[in-house]
Structure formats: C-alpha cells, structure tokens
Amino acid sequence: AEYMGVLVRVRHHMWLICLAVLVPSDSKFVIMDRTLDNVKSFMNAPAFPAFQTQAAWSIGMLSKSKYDSDFMRSYFFSQISVVDNQVNFLYTGFEDGSFLGFFQKDSSGNFVWTITPDPLASCGAIAAPCRQYFNTSAFGQPVAQTNNRTYDPRTRPWYTQAKLTELPSWSSVYTFATTLSLGITFSVPLISSDGSYIGAVGADYQLSAISDFLSVYNNQSRLVYITEPDGDLIAASVPNIGIQTVNNTLVQVKAAECNDTLVRETTAFLAQKGALSDKEHQTYEFGTSKVQRGFLRDNYGLNWTVVVVRRGTIVPDYLEPGSIGFVIILVLGSISLLVTILLMLWLRQNNRIKSFLTDVMSGWLILCSHLSCGICIFLCLGEPNDQLCQARQWIFCLAIVSVVSALVLRLWKTFDRLRGYTPTKPMWKFAVMCFLQVIILAFWTGFDPMKAGKSLSESPAGEVNVHISCHSSSSAGFITSGVYIGLLLVIAFLLAYKTKSALSSLSESKIIVFVLYHIAFLGYGIVGIAYSVNISKSLLLVLEAVAFFWFVLTSQIVMFFIRMLNLDEPPVSPATEMSSMSKNVTVAPGKHMASRASETNMSVSSC
C-alpha cells in the first residue's frame, strides 16, 4: 500500500507538469482550460486513496478482523501521507457504528489518529459509539489520547449517501463533526463478496483548503471563484469571502452577496447573460476585465461552475507628453502651420505671385484647407475623450473634403472655359461639396458619434490589455465619408483627364493629379494599415500626422514653390492661354461660338 501511495503521488505531480507543458498556448480558452484542469487534478486527489482502500477491502488486505491493529493504522497513515496537505481526513465507517481514520491536526502535518474501539460503549449518558482521538509520532504511532466524543458515522451525510447509491460520489457541503468547518466528502461504498453493505470510505476536503489552492490565482491580474448551481460560493482565490459565521455556525455565502465587490458585480453580470451552455465555455467583456466561465464536472456528482476574471491593464493608446511620437507631431504640426501662414501672407502681398497663379481664389481655398490639415496634425495629440474624438471626426473629414473640393473647383472652372462657358458663382460648388460632408457628419454624430471608449485585447501570454481610444459602435459613418471622399476624387481625376492639355505651359492638371494621387495613396493607405496590420493606436496617430504633413508639404511645393522659382519668366498671357485652348477644343456652333469669339476679342484687346 505504501508503494502504491508513492506511485499515486508521482502520478499526481506528473499530471500537473504535463498540464503546464502540453496545453496549447494559443487556445482561446487557455486560461480557463488550465484553471479547470488544475482544479480537477486537485479534486481528484481524494479519489486515489479512497479507491485504493476500497480495493484493499475487496481483496481481503483489510478486514474487520484487522480493525484495531498496527497494520490497519499503518495502511491509513501511508494513504493520508500521500495526499498530505490536500485531503484533510481519510477514514472508514462501518455498519455496526465503528469508525477509524487519520486527519490532519494543522498545517504543520501533525496527524491525529481516531478510532471507535467498541461501538457499543458510549462516552456518557447518550447511547452512541464513543470515538477516541490520539496524537501520533512521525510514523503514525499513537502517543497519547487527547479527547473522546460521541460519534455515529451511520448518521453522517457522506455515509448515508454512499449507502443509498452504493456508488462513489461527492457529498453536498456540510459541517464537519471534528473541525466544525464546512467541506465536502468523497465517499466510496464497501461491498462484501456476498453483495452486502459493509461501510464506506471517506476523504474530506475543507472549503478553506480549496480556497487555499485557488490562492495562487490571487493577484492583480486574475480572480478565480467556484460556485454551486444554486449560486452558493464554494471557494475563491480571494481569502475569507465564501464563509461567514451566523449564530456561531459557519454557513455558505451566495456569490452575489459576498463581501468582495468584483465577485458580486461579476456574478450579477453573468446572471444577466443567462445559464451556461453545456457544450462550451463562454467569454465576456465586463468593464476592464475579461470573464470566462465553464463547468467543473466529473462522474461522481461534482457540478460546479468556475469563473475566471482577468483584470485588464490600461495601455495608453495616445501620445503622452515627452514621448518621441509627441515631439514628432508637435514639430510637424508647427512646420505645417508656419509654412502655410507664410504662403498666405506672401500671396496676399505679392501681385507677381498672383499673376503666376491660374486661379487666385482656388489658391486661397487650397491654402485654407492646408491650414485645416495643419490643425489636424495637432489633433493627433492628447488623451482621448468624447470632445476630442468628435473634433477629430469633424475636422479630419472636413479638412480632406475641403482640399479635394478646392482642387475639383479649379479643374471644374478650367473645364467650363474649355466648353465655352463662363464660370458663374464657383464658390457655390465648393460650398455644396463641403455642405454634403457636413450633412454626413451630422447624421454620423447624431446616430453613432465617435466616443472615447475601452476595448480589450489579449496578449499571447494571456494578459488582458485595456485600450482607451476613439471609436463608434459601427463603421457606417466612416464608410459613408470614405465613399463620398472617394467619389470626389473620381470626379477630380475625370476633370483632370478632360483638361490635361488645356494649360500645357503651366501643366496645372498634371500638378493637381499629383496632389490627388497623394491624397488617395496616403488617405486610403493609412486606412488599409489600420484595418490590416496589428499596430498600436499611438503609432497609427503618428502615421496619420505624418500623412497630413507630407500631403501639405508636397502639394505646396508643386503648386506654389515651383512657380515662385520662375518669377523672372514672363507670365502667360490670357490670349496665349485662350489660343492654346482653342487648338484643343471644338466649340459648338451657335451662341457658344459667338460668345467664345467675343470673349477672345475682349481678352486680346485688354491685353
């Protein structure tokens, strides 16, 4: 029996080692699976000595003839030594009221031998078997009797259940007679060769022992607790929350009523989610935590629910002051605004620059949109809140639409002149294009506004990270704005194609196409990176700021600075410009021809 006990101990520890090594780390429920397997392994500990004792009785190694003998005592001592610090009590009760076994006196490992020498002898006035207690030596030998008390095993829950079912089973939670603590018992019936019931073997677990086992999960990142189907708390990794004293009696506590706030709130949250499915574990996001629950069941009546709460660690998804990304955005935004303001002042004061611009009004509109892009760079800074998120939502979209609309307006005016029309009220076109974006943003903000919210992610090591960033409940508004901006880009490309040979001396259509390519490439490229590559939100903000800066810088260079380098060259006259147009366009007969001729004569005369 002692040899078999050593094998059981080795098997138990090897099982825990295999659990740590073989459970796949990429499993969606790896934390829950490991927790369940470890608790199952812990709860399997009393089954080994109980079944071995049952087998020893069935083969005659143990018998009533050896009841009060050194062999019987040594056998039980070897068995409880195997499950040291796991099983609190290992014992056997018989149909005649006799009882014997070993239990642990305290955590230091001092075992106590208890036996009912004569089930017919009572301790006092009550006619019931008298049970005696003995302290033992390191080898399990009785040293001195310490106590005696009336005890009849045939009335205890573990015994009556084993006799009723004649099957191995777990008892319900009850109060232990010796320690007066709450616990459960794994009992195995003893059946003689003729099929008669002899007694039962029991192995006790105190609920506090299960909580001690779960205490390894008691840290800042994880909480584990176990409940019965009726909601009573079995054990928890948080100490002293599953049991309370009422009228000097220990009673179980409901998980929804315990003194731990997180356990109470999690239990109430899970109650709203409904009953647990029999087929699989379930995972939920609850506040800044991830909650998983699953069944802990075996073939002997154990039916518990294990809840694992993994607390999230807040990961800043914004650029903190002093960080490298913060400094980069600060510098880029300052350069962008400074250059744009200088260009606006120069355009206002220098008539020579105006003469080199084919359309001064469009140039002003483009510079104003560049100014808004510079503001967008600074909006990439700051900790997300609802106001900042909605400011980004509006200004980002309006800045991009204003840039594209200004370019569309310039190309549209050129296209009208090519067709022989005199552009009328061109600002209305610009206003309408921007107003449509305002309508989209208004509906977006009204029905699904951008807000600063928390989202959870899981690292390969199973750690839960809490991200605070701007998001909306759906992508409808974002997609609508993206489609509208894409439609404006298509219109701009078509107009650029139609007017590509109109102003060959200045090649304005080619310049605008270059700018449009940058808008499309940078804008939709950033969107593609955000949805296809797993990068941090802070890095995405830096990329957005760099994209705005790059667009402003390149468009200002090709649309303004290159022309400034040619200030010594004579400007292109309107007559030359119109002559170039007339070579590339066939004007319709009638009033358009007359209007075109009159317009040309007026332009040449004024020149």
Side-chain angles (χ1 to χ4, degrees):
E2 191 167 351
Y3 173 73
M4 292 173 65
V6 173
L7 290 180
V8 170
R9 176 179 289 183
V10 172
R11 177 182 174 183
H12 173 67
H13 290 292
M14 288 301 295
W15 171 242
L16 291 179
I17 294 172
C18 290
L19 282 175
V21 175
L22 297 180
V23 174
S25 60
D26 59 345
S27 171
K28 180 180 179 181
F29 297 99
V30 60
I31 302 298
M32 172 58 76
D33 290 337
R34 287 180 176 173
T35 304
L36 283 174
D37 287 334
N38 287 337
V39 175
K40 285 179 181 177
S41 178
F42 179 77
M43 298 303 295
N44 282 337
F48 297 126
F51 281 126
Q52 285 184 351
T53 304
Q54 183 190 46
W57 278 91
S58 64
I59 63 175
M61 180 185 296
L62 300 178
S63 64
K64 284 289 289 183
S65 61
K66 303 176 182 178
Y67 176 72
D68 189 8
S69 64
D70 290 340
F71 178 80
M72 182 77 77
R73 187 173 55 254
S74 298
Y75 174 85
F76 274 88
F77 180 76
S78 66
Q79 291 300 309
I80 198 170
S81 298
V82 170
V83 289
D84 185 13
N85 295 324
Q86 293 180 350
V87 174
N88 304 102
F89 201 172
L90 180 64
Y91 49 83
T92 300
F94 301 94
E95 273 291 270
D96 61 358
S98 56
F99 179 88
L100 58 84
F102 270 101
F103 70 90
Q104 298 176 3
K105 181 178 180 181
D106 52 39
S107 58
S108 64
N110 295 323
F111 296 106
V112 173
W113 169 250
T114 180
I115 189 171
T116 304
D118 183 0
L120 299 179
S122 60
C123 298
I126 301 176
C130 184
R131 177 174 155 191
Q132 300 175 355
Y133 297 82
F134 298 86
N135 285 338
T136 63
S137 65
F139 301 100
Q141 297 294 328
V143 175
Q145 182 177 346
T146 59
N147 192 15
N148 59 32
R149 62 185 294 263
T150 299
Y151 179 82
D152 190 345
R154 296 167 294 185
T155 62
R156 303 301 294 167
W158 60 273
Y159 190 93
T160 56
Q161 182 169 332
K163 184 176 181 179
L164 178 65
T165 63
E166 294 191 358
L167 293 172
S169 60
W170 288 98
S171 70
S172 58
V173 176
Y174 69 100
T175 303
F176 290 162
T178 302
T179 60
L180 300 181
S181 59
L182 292 179
I184 58 174
T185 298
F186 183 79
S187 58
V188 178
L190 299 179
I191 309 298
S192 66
S193 57
D194 60 1
S196 60
Y197 185 80
I198 301 175
V201 180
D204 287 348
Y205 260 149
Q206 291 182 357
L207 297 190
S208 59
I210 304 175
S211 293
D212 291 342
F213 174 77
L214 294 181
S215 64
V216 296
Y217 300 111
N218 185 25
N219 52 52
Q220 295 182 350
S221 62
R222 194 182 307 174
L223 164 70
V224 178
Y225 66 93
I226 303 173
T227 62
E228 291 187 292
D230 60 0
D232 286 342
L233 199 60
I234 291 292
S237 57
V238 181
N240 303 321
I241 68 168
I243 301 174
Q244 65 181 14
T245 303
V246 178
N247 298 326
N248 297 323
T249 303
L250 295 178
V251 295
Q252 278 182 278
V253 178
K254 296 285 186 182
E257 301 172 358
C258 70
N259 57 13
D260 186 85
T261 304
L262 183 57
V263 173
R264 286 199 314 271
E265 293 177 350
T266 303
T267 303
F269 170 76
L270 292 176
Q272 297 175 356
K273 295 298 180 180
L276 179 62
S277 171
D278 291 348
K279 297 181 180 179
E280 59 181 1
H281 308 324
Q282 294 176 343
T283 299
Y284 309 97
E285 290 187 2
F286 175 52
T288 59
S289 303
K290 271 198 173 183
V291 179
Q292 291 181 321
R293 61 175 175 173
F295 282 121
L296 179 62
R297 290 174 169 173
D298 63 10
N299 297 326
Y300 311 117
L302 202 64
N303 184 17
W304 293 343
T305 299
V306 178
V307 179
V308 178
V309 182
R310 287 180 291 155
R311 302 179 181 94
T313 302
I314 295 180
V315 177
D317 280 336
Y318 58 91
L319 298 166
E320 298 179 299
S323 63
I324 297 177
F326 187 92
V327 174
I328 290 174
I329 291 180
L330 203 61
V331 171
L332 295 182
S334 301
I335 294 175
S336 177
L337 287 180
L338 180 62
V339 173
T340 303
I341 293 172
L342 290 176
L343 271 175
M344 296 176 75
L345 294 175
W346 202 354
L347 178 62
R348 180 185 178 191
Q349 297 175 359
N350 197 319
N351 292 327
R352 186 65 170 164
I353 298 175
K354 296 179 183 180
S355 66
F356 270 80
L357 293 177
T358 57
D359 190 340
V360 177
M361 183 183 66
S362 296
W364 275 106
L365 291 177
I366 292 173
L367 285 176
C368 289
S369 62
H370 287 175
L371 197 64
S372 62
C373 289
I375 297 174
C376 290
I377 296 177
F378 284 104
L379 286 177
C380 294
L381 300 175
E383 183 176 354
N385 54 54
D386 292 349
Q387 292 75 24
L388 178 60
C389 291
Q390 293 179 16
R392 289 177 182 174
Q393 175 187 10
W394 278 78
I395 298 178
F396 279 20
C397 291
L398 287 176
I400 298 174
V401 168
S402 64
V403 170
V404 179
S405 299
L407 297 175
V408 169
L409 178 64
R410 177 67 195 107
L411 293 169
W412 205 326
K413 292 175 68 175
T414 304
F415 182 66
D416 282 345
R417 293 174 64 185
L418 282 173
R419 294 188 302 159
Y421 291 105
T422 301
T424 58
K425 298 181 179 180
M427 282 297 296
W428 280 104
K429 297 183 179 71
F430 179 83
V432 168
M433 286 184 282
C434 292
F435 182 68
L436 289 175
Q437 180 60 55
V438 170
I439 293 176
I440 294 174
L441 287 170
F443 276 97
W444 188 0
T445 305
F447 292 99
D448 189 19
M450 294 287 287
K451 293 183 178 180
K454 298 174 182 178
S455 59
L456 305 183
S457 67
E458 190 171 340
S459 68
E463 298 175 349
V464 177
N465 296 323
V466 182
H467 305 273
I468 303 177
S469 58
C470 298
H471 67 275
S472 56
S473 58
S474 70
S475 301
F478 182 79
I479 293 174
T480 304
S481 290
V483 170
Y484 177 66
I485 294 171
L487 179 62
L488 292 180
L489 286 172
V490 171
I491 295 173
F493 278 117
L494 290 175
L495 291 174
Y497 176 77
K498 291 291 186 179
T499 60
K500 63 181 179 180
S501 58
L503 303 176
S504 57
S505 59
L506 297 178
S507 300
E508 185 160 359
S509 292
K510 295 180 180 179
I511 292 173
I512 293 177
V513 168
F514 177 81
V515 176
L516 291 173
Y517 275 131
H518 270 71
I519 296 174
F521 175 76
L522 293 175
Y524 291 97
I526 293 296
V527 172
I529 291 175
Y531 280 90
S532 61
V533 181
N534 186 19
I535 61 174
S536 64
K537 297 290 185 180
S538 56
L539 179 57
L540 185 61
L541 289 173
V542 174
L543 291 178
E544 291 175 356
V546 171
F548 276 115
F549 174 77
W550 181 255
F551 161 70
V552 171
L553 182 65
T554 54
S555 59
Q556 288 177 352
I557 288 176
V558 298
M559 298 192 71
F560 296 98
F561 287 105
I562 291 179
R563 294 181 179 183
M564 290 178 186
L565 297 177
N566 299 323
L567 287 180
D568 294 335
E569 299 179 5
V572 178
S573 66
T576 305
E577 177 183 332
M578 298 306 299
S579 176
S580 175
M581 290 182 181
S582 63
K583 294 178 182 179
N584 294 281
V585 179
T586 301
V587 182
K591 61 178 182 178
H592 296 305
M593 180 69 75
S595 175
R596 178 62 182 272
S598 175
E599 181 182 336
T600 305
N601 291 333
M602 290 177 61
S603 299
V604 173
S605 175
S606 63
C607 182

